[in-house]
Amino acid sequence: MFGSIASASKNLDSLAEQALRDPSPITRRLAFSRLLEALTPENAAEIRSKLVALGADGDQWRDFHYSWGAIS
């Protein structure tokens, strides 16, 4: 069984960390999806800076920018 996914309402930091650093690729994918679900126009820049700091890859950037554009 996979570890529990951090809740977006608890802490964007822990969710971003889990999305990019968890050893399980499935847990990372689920956490990244939750991070995108939590994306708002107000927190998009904050989430972007977390992704930069944690070293997001090309697919994650594509999905993040698509999601950010969709909410703008």
Side-chain angles (χ1 to χ4, degrees), residues 19-65:
L20 293 163
R21 302 273 190 236
D22 194 273
S24 166
I26 294 171
T27 300
R28 285 194 309 268
R29 245 179 289 160
L30 291 170
F32 193 76
S33 292
R34 292 243 175 108
L35 189 63
L36 294 181
E37 287 174 357
L39 187 69
T40 66
E42 294 76 27
N43 70 11
E46 176 188 359
I47 291 175
R48 184 187 183 285
S49 68
K50 291 177 192 320
L51 295 177
V52 168
L54 292 168
D57 68 22
D59 287 340
Q60 291 163 329
W61 282 120
R62 181 199 62 222
D63 294 347
F64 171 78
H65 286 117

Side-chain angles (χ1 to χ4, degrees), residues 41 67-72:
S67 297
W68 193 357
I71 63 168
S72 292

